[in-house]
Every structure is written in structure tokens, then in C-alpha cells.
Amino acid sequence: MKGFAEWARVQRRVYLGNATSVRDFRAQLRGNRPILLWSIYLGLLVLFVVLAYSNIVAQGQQSVTVVQTQLKSFYKSILWMLEVMVALVAPVIVAMSIQSEVQRKSYDLIATSPVTPKYYLIGKVLSGYRYVLMLIFLSLPVTAAAVVLGGATYGEVFISYFMIAMHGLLYIAISLPIAVISTKVVPAVIYSYTACWGYALFASAGAAMYMSRSMWMGGPQEEAPFYALLTPAMIETPVDAHTSLGKLSVPNWILATAVILVIVRFMVVGAGSAMTRKGSKETASLRIHGLVITAVITGIAALSQFSIMGTFTTMGASSSGGGAQELCIFFTVLSLPLIFALPNLSTWSYVDEHKHRPGGIFDVRQLLSGAPEGGLPYLLALLATMFAVGSGVLVYFGGAIDAVSIVYFVWLTGCWVFVWAIGWLVSSFTRTGAGTAKKSHIASTVIIGLLPWPFLSIVTAMSEADWLDVFRIYPFAGFLYNLSDLDTVVLMVFELWVAAAALTIWAEFRRRSVVSLYKRALNARQ
Amino acid sequence: MLEVLGLRRVYGSLIAVNGIEFALQPGDIFGFIGSNGAGKTTTIRMLATLLEPTSGTARLNGFDVVKEPMEIKRRIGYMPDFFGLYDDVKVWEYLDFYSTLYEVPVRERPSVIDNVLELTDLTVKKDSFVSTLSRGMQQRLCLAKCLVHDPELLLLDEPASGLDPRARAELKQLIAELGRMGKIVIVSSHILPELADFCNTVGIIERGDLMAFGSVRDVVKTIQAAKVIEVHVIEGAGEGSMFLHGKPFVTNTHMLGSTTFKVEFEGTEQDQAEMLKSLVDAGFQVTEFREESADLEDVFLRVTTGAVQ
């Protein structure tokens, strides 16, 4: 009971009486500037409505159906405009707020006061989100016009507005860790925009592709699935759209909100981890969240895929590859977000804080501490979780994991270990801290990943050699091959693991020489 | 009580702070002296929990800087060398913000804010915007912010930098007052005369090593093995100098003019009195007999080489 009371007190302090949020609120709404900005915004909205309405009226007498269609598109265009406004404002507001505090050096004063990273970050989220909500609420009179004129129902407006508000929260959450790890305001804003708009574009395209693929494979066609609501592509959604979870029918907007809140929590924990030292509870929490979210997302994706697609449940060593290839694509796509996690798992530095200093290359005890030697174990744990959950769901639906799929997963693991080894190696060449090592890792991975491609394409175009034989030397060739042939996959696995092992040995040799170099220098100083 | 135990901070092959150790009692005002880049700010930032020590630690009334940073944060007030205030809030709002962060009870906040404003002489500026304050007032506001939670340790990094002489004098008085209130105050500066005025303890840091630590008097004594006594006579300074040369405890003598000479002396105060008596007995008409005291600047220059890392 006492523990609960303390928990409640802390939550009240973080969410209700947050000093950071109160301070930002005072500054945000002070003076003439906010009134001017909001007036311009409202003026633009009203102008848009007047123009749209005049356009409809100017067409003279029309059938009810045509007018109804025009009003619908009028309503849609308001929603799109709002979504764009939110996507423009939300990413920048937190990034600027946090980074300007760091640049102004007022953050040091907060960092020495007894507040947790969560307190500070939630304060920033609240103050930023309040701005986004004001933006949304101010447009309500305009949307009400669409309802009165017959373009939409109040229920549709409520759901759409709610989802736009949730997207705003999502954009703020995405920009949060970026703002924390950036070192200047402008890069923080640019990276935040890149991440949020990148997410919006790729997630929308991904959801659309997934939906069309699902329909093609025999899935439901009457309404969009809940994950489409996570993207700006499906702002206008039917109020009664739902997803069946066993016998339970859950409205899509509730499922989408739950997923967004999980992502927000993950981002807040991630940003908090970036602000803390080695072994902090924020870092442990981030790592546990990572494993749980991997399991949940794999589970949901597998459930929706394997239950819908009949071909998956009859998977075997078919001559065409078929099911095995689908399963391999499934795991490959699911593992792609690792590209964002790997720079943090694979890089190290001896000129930074303890959390960046490796005490070795592989230590399972450091799985949750954030130490560099826990990076590889954590990467393997993520991949093992993905494989275990994905395979479990597949087996549950009566499918089977064949040899090609298993060997392919070994290749996929080798692929990520190879990328990890690149990070471990470039860190040994970096003398200016973990931040530089991370950037170098990203650049090196892109170079190694993309550069051989045009070169090898030229070779295949200019010679009689088989495309497959030439590309076999490419470490990421598994993404391009038809995986039906077990011998080819085994060969690829062998090649990649040899390359990964060689890189790892070289990287570790370099790390040890760097350590001894520093030790000698320090001993000489003593 | 603050105990600094082998505090060390390494960046790659660079040792910024090399295992320094010292202890301070409540009421101590500790002047932390060093050249730019000597390791003062790094040490203070480690004590403020902003930087993680590579090894070693510090304890404030039993709480460990490394293991219990949150407990330390509740007990310290930190004023960095460069800091940004929120320009767009009023003075009382600024202090209210920090009172909330330090969990000062809501009912007590108005009186706490009034008290710290009075202590820092900013009461008249309570409703002014922070942006309208002068540099000295902003400095005092930052100090006021450090005091809202009644800390046990104050870490002031170059608090007087950029202040005019009057603002500097007012700040010195304020810091002295804080020492009298029983707080441990650590003040870093390279403006040495201002530290000697109100610090009862000093430490000299050079390239990360604590070269000297103790009371101002002890530190001066440590580096000045021999006293230097300046003697003024009506006439015959040369003879006087020759007279004392070779006498017990006299290590050297220097002529400064026809009526003045210096004696380097290693004896006690009793021996010093005996030497004066022997001069007078020998017929020298002594008009002034004064021990030259070295100041912090002399000590600093003697102890350090001025090298930065």
C-alpha cells in the first residue's frame, strides 16, 4: 500500500505538476506572439473553407450525390491539411525545446536537480503536445462546417481527430531521443523531420503494400486493418472498423492507440537511457522493452500473416521455394528496424563515459546494462526472440519450419553480426567519442551495403558470368537471392559468417591495441 | 562533511583529474585555484553528478556521488561558470520552477522564494523578467536558485567572472554569509586575491593534480620554508647585512639599498626576536623589522608551472 502511494505520488508529480511543462506553458503563451500565430492559423483555415465552399456553390445546381462527394472530399482535405500541420509542428517543437535548453546551458542546472530523465522528458512531451492539441482544437469550427454541410458525421470527426492527435504524440515521441542525442538545434530539427516524415512515408507505403498483399493472398478486403491507422494514409476511417482478436472484436482506433502509446513509452525510455549512465534502470527498462516489443510485434505480425495466408501454414521444402521464401522475407522485414539500434549496440569509445567503455567483446551479464560488451548478446537475444515467437506462431497454425528457413535465419543472424562487427571495428579508429563512432558506423554500413552493388552490376553486365555467381561475394546477397536452393543458402551462410568472424577478430584485435595504448599513456603520465 | 576520495577522470589518454583527495567541514569556504584547463571545472562537475568519475568518489554526509546521485542532488546547489537563465519568465517564476524541481512543499514556496530573494538582494526584481536583469543580478539569481532547497554543499564555478568590482564585492559578502550559515562552499576561481579574502581553505590544482591543500596560512607556510624579513635601518644596511650573514637560522641576506636589506630566516618567532635584539645590541638603529608574507598569488606561481593539458 505504501509502495502504491509512493508510486501514485511520483506519477502525479510527473504528469500533473510537472515544473518543466508549467515553465514552458508560461513562456509559450506569453506576449502577443502566440495570439498572432494562432490568428494567422485560424485565418488560413477560414480562408480555405470559404474558397472550398465557394467552389462548390459556383458550380450551380448539382445532384445530391455529386454534392455529397464534393463535401466528402472537402472534409478529407481538411483532415489532410491538419495532418500535414501536425507533421510540420510536432517534430520540431520538442527537438527545439530540448536542444535550445542544452545550447543555452540551462539544462545543466536541471540535470543537477533531483529529477529523473522521465520527469524532464514527460514535461517536454506535455508542453509540446499541448501546442499540437491547440492546433487541432482550433480547427474544430472549420470541421464542424463540414459536418453541418453533410461531409462527415460527428463520430467520424471524433475518430479522425483522435487519430491525428495520436499521430502528433507519435511524432513528438519519435523526435524525443533524436533531440536528446543531438548536439545542436539545427541537426536535431533536421533529423527529427527526417525521422517523422520518413516514418510517415514508409509506414504508409508499407501498410498499403501489406494490405494489398494480404488481399492478394486471400485476406479480408472490406476494411483497412488497424495498423493502417498508425500511418497518415488512413486518417479518414470508418467508426466501426474493428479487428478480431480471437472471439473479441476490438475497434481499430483502440488497437492503434495502444500501439502508439507503447511506442511513445519506448521512445521516452530510449531518450531517458541516452541521458543516463551505465547500468541505469532506464537502460535496463529500454532493453526489456525492446525484447518485449520485438516479441509482441513479431507475434502480431505472425498472427495476421500466418492465419490469413493459407500457403504459409502448409510450408515445406517445396521445389519453388514458396513458403520458405515468404518466411524469410517475413523475418528479414521484421529485423530491418535493427539498423537503427545497431549503432548503439556496436560502437564504443574510451574517451567517453563508462557506458561507452567496453570491458571485453561479449558478456551476457551486461545484457541489460548498456555496456558495449552487452551489445552483441542483446542483438542475438533480439533475433532469437523474433525467431522463437515467429516460429511458434507458425507451428501453432500448423506450419513447419524447414531446413532452408533455419539456415536462412542463421544467414540473417550472420548478416546483423557482420553489421555489428563493422561498428566494433570503426570504433577502434575513432578518437573523438562514441557519437563520432556511431556516425562512422552508419556511414561505413551504407558504404559496404550499397557500394558493391553498382560495381558488381557492371561486372555482370560486362561479362558472361552468372549474376548469382558474381553477387555471391556480396555480404548482403541474401536479400537478393531466390532462397529455394539449400546448397546456395548454406554457401552464403558460410561466406557471411567467415566474413563476420574475420571482421570481428580484426575489430577485437584493434580494440585491445587501443586499450594497451591508452594504458601505456596513462602509466607514463603517472 | 564532504570527503573527496581519489577522484579521477580520464578522457582516453588524457588525465583531467588525477585522484585528488580532500575533506571539508560545514562552514568551510574552499577556494579551488588553478589555471584554465587545470581540472577545476571537471572536479566540480563530478561533485555535481554531471560527470561520472573514472575512478574514486566523493561523499557528502555519507551519501556517495557515484552510487547515490539523486541523494547528492538533493543536497547540493550548483552554479556553473557559464549558465543560461530562462529569459522569458519572471524572477519569481524562475525560482518557483526550481522550487518545484527540488520538491519544496507548495505552501512553503512563496516564503522560500521571498527569503532567497532577500538574501541575494533581489526582492525589488521579483516581478521583473529575467532578461531585464544585469549580469551581476543574473549571477545572484542563479545563486538564489541554488539556495531554494537549503543545500548542504554549494558548488560555485567561477562565480565572479564577468562581474564589475561592486558586484564582485557583494558576491563575496554573500558567499561569506553562506559559510557562516554552516554550508560547505566550494568556489573555483583564478582571480586569487578575491579568494584569499573570504576562503578559509584553499586547494591548488595543476594538470589534474592537487598540488596544495589546507588553510591559506598553512598553504603559504608549506611553500615558503624560509621567512623573509625586511629590515630598515637609519644607516649601514651593508654592515647590517654582513653582521647577520652566517648567524644561526639565517640562510641568506640581500642588500636592497643603503638603508634596507632582506634576511632569509628559518628560526622560530623566539629566534626572530633574538636576532632583532642582537642587531639593536650591535648598534644598528632599526626603524622597521617586518616579516614579508607571501600571498596566494606567490604560492600559486611557485606551486604551478602554468602548464595546461
Side-chain angles (χ1 to χ4, degrees):
Chain A
M1 192 63 195
K2 197 177 172 185
F4 175 77
E6 175 59 17
W7 177 86
R9 189 190 71 79
V10 171
Q11 300 311 311
R12 193 165 59 89
R13 184 169 181 245
V14 170
Y15 291 99
L16 297 179
N18 195 299
T20 311
S21 167
V22 172
R23 193 214 74 81
D24 284 354
F25 185 58
R26 281 174 177 151
Q28 275 171 0
L29 298 184
R30 183 157 275 155
N32 297 327
R33 199 179 55 178
I35 296 169
L36 192 71
L37 281 174
W38 293 127
S39 302
I40 293 171
Y41 171 64
L42 261 181
L44 285 174
L45 283 178
V46 170
L47 184 70
F48 174 76
V49 171
V50 170
L51 285 176
Y53 187 69
S54 310
N55 191 35
I56 295 171
V57 171
Q59 291 173 16
Q61 278 199 333
Q62 292 171 87
S63 71
V64 176
T65 325
V66 173
V67 173
Q68 189 67 25
T69 314
Q70 285 178 336
L71 285 170
K72 276 272 178 201
S73 70
F74 168 60
Y75 169 65
K76 267 187 199 175
S77 58
I78 292 176
L79 293 183
W80 269 103
M81 195 173 64
L82 261 182
E83 182 72 30
V84 171
M85 289 297 289
V86 167
L88 277 174
V89 172
V92 74
I93 201 160
V94 169
M96 275 189 73
S97 178
I98 291 178
Q99 265 308 308
S100 56
E101 192 131 46
V102 172
Q103 297 304 314
R104 196 198 288 138
K105 292 192 180 290
S106 51
Y107 177 70
D108 276 1
L109 300 178
I110 295 175
T112 53
S113 56
V115 292
T116 57
K118 180 185 172 185
Y119 181 94
Y120 175 72
L121 294 169
I122 293 289
K124 288 293 174 193
V125 169
L126 289 177
S127 57
Y129 196 47
R130 188 168 39 216
Y131 221 76
V132 171
L133 287 182
M134 284 160 79
L135 198 79
I136 294 169
F137 282 128
L138 275 176
S139 71
L140 268 176
V142 177
T143 319
V147 177
V148 173
L149 295 171
T153 65
Y154 279 115
E156 286 170 343
V157 171
F158 171 76
I159 298 293
S160 299
Y161 263 62
F162 182 77
M163 287 321 301
I164 292 173
M166 292 315 293
H167 290 164
L169 185 61
L170 186 62
Y171 296 142
I172 286 176
I174 290 173
S175 67
L176 207 56
I178 295 169
V180 168
I181 59 175
S182 298
T183 49
K184 291 204 169 68
V185 177
V186 175
V189 170
I190 292 172
Y191 294 148
S192 296
Y193 269 136
T194 309
C196 291
W197 284 72
Y199 163 79
L201 290 173
F202 282 105
S204 298
M209 282 168 61
Y210 215 69
M211 281 159 62
S212 59
R213 188 182 170 82
S214 165
M215 288 171 191
W216 179 67
M217 298 288 280
Q221 294 177 26
E222 62 274 14
E223 61 190 33
F226 84 90
Y227 49 77
L229 282 180
L230 299 173
T231 74
M234 289 297 296
I235 291 303
E236 192 212 14
T237 180
V239 182
D240 55 352
H242 67 277
T243 298
S244 296
L245 295 179
K247 290 178 182 173
L248 202 63
S249 178
V250 185
N252 281 352
W253 66 272
I254 291 183
L255 269 181
T257 303
V259 172
I260 287 175
L261 290 178
V262 168
I263 296 173
V264 171
R265 182 169 169 77
F266 185 66
M267 291 295 174
V268 171
V269 175
S273 171
M275 294 166 76
T276 54
R277 296 175 179 178
K278 178 184 170 185
S280 68
K281 64 177 184 179
E282 282 83 2
T283 304
S285 175
L286 173 70
R287 296 259 165 129
I288 293 167
H289 271 79
L291 288 170
V292 172
I293 288 174
T294 301
V296 170
I297 289 179
T298 308
I300 291 173
L303 273 171
S304 63
Q305 280 287 87
F306 302 156
S307 61
I308 292 168
M309 300 176 195
T311 50
F312 269 55
T313 58
T314 54
M315 203 176 288
S318 66
S319 58
S320 65
Q325 197 169 2
E326 292 293 339
L327 189 65
C328 297
I329 292 170
F330 173 79
F331 280 128
T332 305
V333 171
L334 268 184
S335 73
L336 282 179
L338 280 175
I339 201 78
F340 301 108
L342 264 168
N344 295 308
L345 295 176
S346 66
T347 52
W348 51 269
S349 165
Y350 275 97
V351 295
D352 280 326
E353 304 278 322
H354 275 303
K355 68 176 175 182
H356 299 299
R357 296 175 181 220
I361 187 168
F362 187 95
D363 189 347
V364 180
R365 289 168 302 176
Q366 303 294 337
L367 190 74
L368 302 178
S369 75
E373 62 268 34
L376 186 54
Y378 188 70
L379 172 66
L380 296 177
L382 283 174
L383 289 165
T385 305
M386 197 183 293
F387 188 70
V389 175
S391 313
V393 174
L394 177 65
V395 170
Y396 175 78
F397 280 103
I401 306 292
D402 65 350
V404 175
S405 303
I406 291 172
V407 177
Y408 175 83
F409 200 82
V410 176
W411 169 82
L412 188 66
T413 306
C415 197
W416 290 113
V417 171
F418 182 79
V419 177
W420 172 88
I422 294 172
W424 202 257
L425 182 65
V426 295
S427 300
S428 69
F429 290 102
T430 310
R431 295 283 185 273
T432 48
T436 315
K438 281 176 188 146
K439 286 172 196 156
S440 307
H441 177 221
I442 294 167
S444 309
T445 307
V446 169
I447 290 168
I448 293 171
L450 296 183
L451 269 192
W453 202 340
F455 175 74
L456 295 175
S457 298
I458 292 167
V459 171
T460 50
M462 295 178 70
S463 72
E464 297 292 312
D466 184 49
W467 185 88
L468 214 69
D469 288 336
V470 174
F471 265 79
R472 200 165 282 173
I473 62 166
Y474 180 51
F476 304 111
F479 291 116
L480 312 169
Y481 275 119
N482 181 340
L483 297 165
S484 58
D485 178 17
L486 183 62
D487 292 342
T488 307
V489 182
V490 169
L491 183 65
M492 274 168 41
V493 167
F494 177 74
E495 284 173 354
L496 188 68
W497 273 98
V498 167
L503 206 59
T504 305
I505 291 166
W506 182 24
E508 181 57 9
F509 178 75
R510 286 271 321 157
R511 184 190 71 83
R512 289 183 183 193
S513 76
V514 169
V515 174
S516 67
L517 203 72
Y518 280 139
K519 278 188 178 164
R520 274 205 303 274
L522 290 174
N523 288 338
R525 170 78 165 77
Q526 297 286 7
Chain B
M1 182 186 180
L2 174 72
E3 298 164 282
V4 177
L5 307 163
L7 211 54
R8 189 165 192 259
R9 174 73 193 191
V10 174
Y11 298 95
S13 60
L14 179 96
I15 304 175
V17 175
N18 193 14
I20 64 172
E21 300 208 352
F22 60 85
L24 297 170
Q25 301 296 330
D28 278 351
I29 301 179
F30 173 58
F32 205 22
I33 308 167
S35 318
N36 290 329
K40 300 186 301 286
T41 299
T42 305
T43 306
I44 287 181
R45 286 175 71 83
M46 283 193 280
L47 294 176
T49 71
L50 285 173
L51 272 180
E52 194 180 5
T54 305
S55 61
T57 190
R59 287 202 196 102
L60 177 62
N61 294 334
F63 293 106
D64 193 294
V65 166
V66 179
K67 291 177 186 156
E68 298 156 295
M70 209 49 111
E71 292 301 326
I72 293 291
K73 286 175 183 182
R74 289 184 216 285
R75 289 166 174 79
I76 61 164
Y78 170 62
M79 182 171 163
D81 47 354
F82 297 105
F83 58 89
L85 299 166
Y86 302 111
D87 295 341
D88 40 17
V89 292
K90 293 178 178 176
V91 166
W92 76 265
E93 288 173 344
Y94 183 77
L95 294 174
D96 183 59
F97 170 63
Y98 281 101
S99 303
T100 313
L101 291 187
Y102 282 100
E103 294 187 80
V104 176
V106 180
R107 283 182 191 173
E108 292 173 22
R109 270 178 219 164
S111 61
V112 165
I113 291 171
D114 287 344
N115 288 343
V116 294
L117 284 175
E118 195 181 330
L119 188 68
T120 52
D121 201 17
L122 284 172
T123 305
V124 291
K125 294 288 180 184
K126 185 177 175 179
D127 288 313
S128 304
F129 277 98
V130 171
S131 56
T132 64
L133 301 184
S134 67
R135 167 84 176 149
M137 285 176 180
Q138 290 190 348
Q139 210 84 342
R140 292 211 301 268
L141 178 60
C142 191
L143 194 53
K145 162 256 148 195
C146 294
L147 298 172
V148 289
H149 58 298
D150 193 20
E152 293 155 24
L153 168 66
L154 278 165
L155 300 162
L156 313 178
D157 195 1
E158 307 278 0
S161 65
L163 297 187
D164 61 44
R166 175 174 289 279
R168 203 173 281 179
E170 287 170 358
L171 192 73
K172 273 156 63 173
Q173 281 177 7
L174 184 56
I175 293 171
E177 176 62 26
L178 293 171
R180 283 192 290 275
M181 288 164 71
K183 299 186 188 308
I184 303 170
V185 186
I186 296 183
V187 191
S188 85
S189 180
H190 46 240
I191 305 169
L192 304 175
E194 75 184 19
L195 287 179
D197 288 351
F198 62 92
C199 292
N200 55 15
T201 314
V202 289
I204 298 175
I205 189 168
E206 169 81 346
R207 297 186 69 197
D209 290 310
L210 192 63
M211 311 296 282
F213 173 80
S215 67
V216 178
R217 190 186 165 90
D218 289 346
V219 168
V220 169
K221 256 188 185 170
T222 315
I223 66 116
Q224 195 179 29
K227 293 175 187 172
V228 178
I229 297 165
E230 194 172 297
V231 184
H232 290 251
V233 289
I234 289 179
E235 57 179 359
E239 290 82 353
S241 173
M242 290 296 290
F243 173 76
L244 290 179
H245 200 81
K247 287 265 193 276
F249 309 114
V250 174
T251 54
N252 207 353
T253 58
H254 308 275
M255 276 284 294
L256 292 179
S258 60
T259 59
T260 313
F261 64 96
K262 273 188 179 178
V263 183
E264 286 180 20
F265 184 74
E266 284 183 338
T268 61
E269 288 184 344
Q270 184 65 39
D271 302 325
Q272 200 172 317
E274 288 292 331
M275 184 175 72
L276 175 60
K277 185 170 180 292
S278 68
L279 260 179
V280 174
D281 289 348
F284 291 100
Q285 292 173 297
V286 179
T287 57
E288 197 174 331
F289 186 88
R290 166 171 76 81
E291 184 184 331
E292 266 189 2
S293 60
D295 60 14
L296 268 180
E297 199 151 346
D298 297 325
V299 176
F300 180 68
L301 291 173
R302 284 275 293 274
V303 166
T304 65
T305 58
V308 290
Q309 302 190 45

